[in-house]
Amino acid sequence: MRTLGQLNAKTNQFLIMKKHFLLGLCALLLGSSAAFAQFGGFRQQPITNGMKDTYKDYFMIGVAVNNRNVTDPDQMALIKREFNSITAENAMKPQPTEPEKGVFNWEEADRIANFCRENGIKLRGHTLMWHSQVGRWMYMDDKGNLLPKEEFYANMKHHIQAVVNRYKDVVYAWDVVNEAVQDSPVRNGQSPMRQSPMFQIAGEEFIYKAFEYAHEADPNALLFYNDYNDSEPGKSQRIFELVQRMKAAGVPIDGIGMQGHYNIYSPTAEEIDAAITKYASIVKHIHITELDIRVNTEQGGQLNFSRGQGVPVASWQNTLQTDQYANLFKVLRKHKDVIDCVTFWNLSDRDSWLGAANSPLLFDSNYRPKQAYNVVKNFDPAQDNAVVREDFRPSELNQPGQQYPMVNSQGYARFRVDAPKAQSVIVSLGLGGSGGTVLHKDADGYWVGTTSGPMDEGFHYYHLTIDGGVVNDPGTHNYFGSCRWESGIEIPAHDRAFYEERDVPHGTVQEVRFWSKSQNKLLRAFVYVPPTYDNAKKKQKFPVLYLQHGWGENEYAWFNQGRANLIMDNLIAEGKIEPFLVVTTYGMINDVPMGHMNDYTAEDFETVLCDELVPYIESHYKARTDKFGRAMAGLSMGGYETTIITLRRPEMFGYYGLLSGGSYSPKDIKDPNQVKGIFIGCGSKENGDAVTKSAADLRAAGINAQSYVSEGTAHEFLTWRRILREMAPTLFK
């Protein structure tokens, strides 16, 4: 009987081991851009610079601010890190600056202007003339009658020049006239211009006059016409024609402001590209002036928008938003010769005129960056001009007769889905935390799309999200991962010969059922039996590798998506290893919610493995029964189980292997003679330095340890296939 002191000592040792393993696993994962692929999460990189820095060779990055933003220290710091242009959201509009004729209110506008002056940030002026947020005194008398044109012009000139003159030392550009063009549809015979009181008084000429007055006050400022629904084909043509007429009349207009109040469904990148191309033919300066992308179906200047209170934004909506932002900025970067500045309309969702629940901006209500922030900021310039080879072929994992998904020689994946009534289709496979690949309807009504860049070589899980519902792709076979059946795709690897089917002797993978007394039920295991097994001498005993899966997978993962049996067959055929058995069983890790991994002790699984499965294998197969005839290894969370079980039960296993599963330290190994070999591996996109150092530290302590880093891979099955290939020859020596 163990004493209480002995039990406490064992508990303390386990807690130390668990802390060490979790720190090691975190170190591995933190080194990987796709580190949480198996776990379904996304890691935010530490932010050391802002968007203004990554776009310094493209255009300025601006933000519309309110007075709270420029007085709160944390928000001020965020502004200074991320932006190099500022717009006063409301403080410089006609009514806030001159609520009554001749009565000016400069307090809020001055505060924002002074913030810019003190911090060396450029200021965009918004807006000098608008049909909304303007005092009626500007265009109407006390009796409600529209003013004569001359009086209206006098009011307008006095207002514009007072505002421009006050801020001309810090304002570099003005939205002179806002939203004067009619929305679509415009019927035959209907004016293309908004029938505002200003237009009713003076027609289109009031726009010309506003620009003249602004230019008189500050000849150095860039002057813009600003409007929404700027890429809708009909309205963009009307905006174009207005500016064309202004240029012909000699109006001092420098640019067009595209507000950019978009949504997650529209406009398309092609529509935005076409509008910019059109505008660039008549002006030298284009600004995106009021950018936000809301998660409902409305856009532009609609005032009856859905603010979405109480409706949480789903992850698939975030993916649509991320994709829309990514596509938009790719177009904007393409037009950097004419795009001078891109301004987000508010600092965070908390500030947005659309309501926080519509999640329209790159920073949430707590001023934390979202997934969309990362794709906007951390773009890959090479991908902007990448040429995708059209040599796509069906994936080798497709169902018989299915053409999609496809892969090409560069590693891109292409998808095609038949969902005629859907509003959105997303493939979970994507790059760099973008959330997946958003498909778009083609001319035939199918949803099609290609990954934004080449995928890592090897096997990948994925699924479809159709209007928020998760389904598998009917084109592929299914694979158990993420605690559910997933679709699978294989990106052919340049070194795939080691796990391919070859004309060599093949072993068998046998499914066995063994009784678990501790669980009071039959459990399942799979046993790889090498091709030499039946012809072996009667007394020959085979070593056994007990190989564990990761979180979300099951006991068949290693022989299905892992192809461990084919790897073993090929190694044996090449004479690189002596034959041994490989046994896999369910590690019970999926029963633990991801948020509660600190509570997982693996004690139940330890009993199943060591006290029930090992005896079963050794009584039913020609298996060695000594510890140096047994090895235990596991990938990811299976590595966690390997670590704690091998250290708690040193009498059971003589070889240890961790595949993207943390590390051992010299202090973990109480007696160097307890283990003959330790193998530690991971992908180069994880944290190869940590793996290499761990093995070096073990060797320095007199422990036989080797490491391997899989080049070009992350936390994924090609990493683990390669590690198995490298580890297997080191076992049972």
Side-chain angles (χ1 to χ4, degrees):
M1 178 180 292
R2 286 176 289 184
T3 67
L4 181 60
Q6 290 172 319
L7 289 173
N8 287 338
K10 182 178 180 181
T11 300
N12 289 336
Q13 181 186 11
F14 165 70
L15 292 174
I16 293 171
M17 288 190 301
K18 179 164 72 169
K19 179 180 180 181
H20 172 72
F21 169 79
L22 292 176
L23 288 173
L25 183 57
C26 286
L28 283 176
L29 295 179
L30 290 176
S32 171
S33 61
F36 289 171
Q38 187 186 24
F39 303 103
F42 178 79
R43 180 179 61 82
Q44 171 65 51
Q45 295 277 0
I47 299 174
T48 57
N49 60 0
M51 291 183 288
K52 64 178 173 55
D53 302 305
T54 56
Y55 280 90
K56 62 183 175 60
D57 296 327
Y58 292 87
F59 37 72
M60 291 186 291
I61 300 294
V63 62
V65 300
N66 56 45
N67 270 261
R68 184 180 67 251
N69 302 145
V70 296
T71 53
D72 178 274
D74 291 337
Q75 295 172 40
M76 292 163 64
L78 179 61
I79 292 169
K80 289 188 283 186
R81 185 188 75 199
E82 297 289 339
F83 306 102
N84 51 11
S85 176
I86 281 178
T87 301
E89 179 188 9
N90 291 306
M92 291 185 177
K93 290 175 179 176
Q95 188 172 36
T97 52
E98 193 175 2
E100 299 178 37
K101 185 175 181 177
V103 178
F104 287 92
N105 176 15
W106 303 116
E107 182 180 357
E108 292 192 2
D110 279 356
R111 187 176 293 119
I112 293 171
N114 287 335
F115 175 81
C116 291
R117 292 181 180 113
E118 291 164 5
N119 292 284
I121 301 175
K122 293 184 176 182
L123 181 61
R124 280 192 97 259
H126 177 83
T127 178
L128 295 173
M129 191 53 52
W130 189 23
H131 66 275
S132 181
Q133 285 185 265
V134 59
R136 289 190 175 187
W137 62 265
M138 179 79 73
Y139 55 81
M140 187 177 289
D141 64 21
D142 293 340
K143 296 180 180 180
N145 300 312
L146 294 178
L147 296 175
K149 181 166 67 172
E150 292 74 16
E151 187 175 350
F152 164 54
Y153 281 170
N155 289 344
M156 183 168 65
K157 180 176 182 178
H158 183 264
H159 172 80
I160 288 174
Q161 296 195 339
V163 177
V164 172
N165 277 312
R166 187 173 185 88
Y167 300 111
K168 64 193 299 182
D169 67 306
V170 67
V171 170
Y172 71 98
W174 279 100
D175 293 327
V176 179
V177 176
N178 202 40
E179 302 174 3
V181 172
Q182 186 71 271
D183 291 339
S184 295
V186 174
R187 300 179 182 84
N188 290 336
Q190 185 179 1
S191 171
M193 305 304 294
R194 182 186 296 275
Q195 299 301 294
S196 68
M198 296 85 156
F199 185 85
Q200 293 174 42
I201 292 171
E204 189 171 291
E205 185 186 57
F206 92 89
I207 302 172
Y208 302 2
K209 289 295 185 181
F211 277 81
E212 291 174 15
Y213 302 151
H215 184 67
E216 286 176 8
D218 186 359
N220 297 317
L222 295 174
L223 305 182
F224 287 78
Y225 172 74
N226 191 51
D227 215 327
Y228 62 87
N229 286 359
D230 40 70
S231 58
E232 187 271 312
K235 188 168 183 180
S236 68
Q237 182 62 28
R238 291 190 291 279
I239 293 171
F240 174 82
E241 291 171 355
L242 167 63
V243 176
Q244 206 173 37
R245 294 192 297 271
M246 293 171 68
K247 299 283 283 187
V251 175
I253 179 171
D254 298 296
I256 294 174
M258 302 173 66
Q259 289 186 11
H261 293 300
Y262 303 146
N263 66 47
I264 58 177
Y265 301 104
S266 65
T268 66
E270 291 75 17
E271 288 171 331
I272 297 169
D273 185 38
I276 294 173
T277 301
K278 184 193 304 255
Y279 298 148
S281 69
I282 54 169
V283 295
K284 295 181 180 179
H285 303 276
I286 296 175
H287 287 190
I288 308 301
T289 56
E290 305 179 26
L291 180 59
D292 47 38
I293 298 178
R294 65 193 86 171
V295 295
N296 61 38
T297 58
E298 297 165 350
Q299 64 179 299
Q302 292 172 279
L303 299 179
N304 295 321
F305 51 80
S306 169
R307 293 178 66 85
Q309 285 91 338
V311 181
V313 177
S315 61
W316 62 271
Q317 292 174 305
N318 285 330
T319 297
L320 292 177
Q321 183 187 62
T322 299
D323 181 73
Q324 189 77 315
Y325 268 118
N327 291 336
L328 168 63
F329 271 81
K330 185 174 182 179
V331 171
L332 299 180
R333 292 191 295 269
K334 172 185 172 182
H335 291 282
K336 66 178 182 178
D337 59 326
V338 69
I339 301 287
D340 298 331
C341 183
V342 177
T343 296
F344 292 89
W345 201 244
N346 299 118
L347 182 58
S348 77
D349 289 346
R350 177 186 176 188
D351 308 299
S352 175
W353 69 295
L354 296 170
N358 270 323
S359 188
L361 295 163
L362 299 187
F363 294 92
D364 67 18
S365 293
N366 294 310
Y367 299 92
R368 296 173 303 198
K370 301 180 191 174
Q371 181 174 278
Y373 169 87
N374 291 277
V375 299
V376 168
K377 180 190 171 190
N378 301 318
F379 64 95
D380 180 359
Q383 288 301 320
D384 283 352
N385 301 305
V387 176
V388 181
R389 296 178 195 146
E390 291 301 323
D391 56 354
F392 285 88
R393 295 183 178 183
S395 167
E396 63 187 78
L397 304 185
N398 284 3
Q399 298 276 7
Q402 297 297 313
Q403 294 296 303
Y404 289 87
M406 290 185 168
V407 297
N408 79 348
S409 58
Q410 298 164 292
Y412 286 84
R414 179 168 290 172
F415 305 90
R416 184 173 184 263
V417 176
D418 184 12
K421 300 295 185 181
Q423 284 190 300
S424 67
V425 179
I426 304 168
V427 178
S428 62
L429 196 64
L431 294 174
S434 65
T437 300
V438 176
L439 308 188
H440 300 276
K441 265 192 178 180
D442 66 7
D444 297 325
Y446 289 94
W447 292 85
V448 296
T450 304
T451 54
S452 59
M455 304 301 300
D456 287 354
E457 296 177 335
F459 174 85
H460 299 276
Y461 300 109
Y462 76 96
H463 54 257
L464 307 178
T465 301
I466 301 178
D467 290 345
V470 175
V471 297
N472 280 1
D473 187 340
T476 72
H477 289 288
N478 296 327
Y479 302 83
F480 195 80
S482 304
C483 296
R484 64 180 298 276
W485 289 102
E486 295 267 40
S487 300
I489 191 170
E490 187 81 27
I491 307 299
H494 70 280
D495 59 346
R496 58 187 176 275
F498 79 91
Y499 60 79
E500 284 187 320
E501 295 178 356
R502 299 191 215 163
D503 185 14
V504 298
H506 289 281
T508 61
V509 177
Q510 301 175 2
E511 179 179 344
V512 300
R513 303 278 177 164
F514 63 99
W515 182 257
S516 169
K517 183 177 180 181
S518 64
Q519 299 296 308
N520 194 34
K521 61 182 178 181
L522 277 174
L523 299 180
R524 184 173 74 159
F526 288 95
V527 183
Y528 167 77
V529 179
T532 60
Y533 183 85
D534 290 334
N535 296 325
K537 294 179 181 179
K538 187 174 182 180
K539 292 186 178 180
Q540 181 179 348
K541 299 292 185 181
F542 289 80
V544 185
L545 167 62
Y546 292 87
L547 189 58
Q548 285 309 118
H549 59 83
W551 181 87
E553 295 153 350
N554 67 5
E555 59 270 31
Y556 197 51
W558 265 111
F559 298 118
N560 197 12
Q561 49 267 48
R563 304 194 181 184
N565 52 319
L566 297 179
I567 295 171
M568 293 292 295
D569 291 340
N570 294 334
L571 288 173
I572 292 170
E574 292 169 359
K576 293 182 177 179
I577 62 171
E578 292 297 323
F580 56 83
L581 304 172
V582 180
V583 178
T584 64
T585 193
Y586 175 52
M588 303 168 71
I589 192 70
N590 299 350
D591 302 331
V592 183
M594 281 303 295
H596 298 274
M597 286 299 173
N598 281 331
D599 300 329
Y600 182 59
T601 66
E603 290 179 346
D604 289 344
F605 176 62
E606 178 184 335
T607 298
V608 168
L609 175 67
C610 298
D611 301 330
E612 296 169 347
L613 178 58
V614 169
Y616 176 89
I617 295 298
E618 293 177 355
S619 63
H620 287 74
Y621 288 87
K622 293 184 285 186
R624 285 175 56 176
T625 59
D626 62 300
K627 67 172 285 182
F628 294 113
R630 305 188 198 108
M632 184 178 181
L635 70 87
S636 193
M637 291 304 297
Y640 171 47
E641 295 179 316
T642 298
T643 304
I644 57 178
I645 290 174
T646 54
L647 296 181
R648 281 199 303 232
R649 301 287 289 268
E651 76 281 2
M652 289 296 299
F653 303 100
Y655 296 85
Y656 313 157
L658 303 179
L659 299 82
S660 302
S663 62
Y664 294 94
S665 72
K667 65 182 180 181
D668 294 330
I669 311 301
K670 304 305 179 186
D671 178 2
N673 294 319
Q674 79 183 46
V675 57
K676 280 192 174 182
I678 294 177
F679 200 95
I680 309 172
C682 72
S684 65
K685 296 182 181 180
E686 296 182 273
N687 193 339
D689 290 343
V691 160
T692 303
K693 183 180 185 303
S694 175
D697 290 344
L698 290 167
R699 288 194 298 272
I703 300 166
N704 178 27
Q706 298 184 47
S707 62
Y708 172 77
V709 177
S710 168
E711 184 58 39
T713 59
H715 207 70
E716 53 200 347
F717 255 104
L718 184 55
T719 296
W720 306 322
R721 292 171 181 172
R722 287 174 174 170
I723 299 173
L724 177 60
R725 175 194 65 193
E726 300 299 318
M727 178 179 68
T730 71
L731 300 177
F732 312 117
K733 297 298 185 182

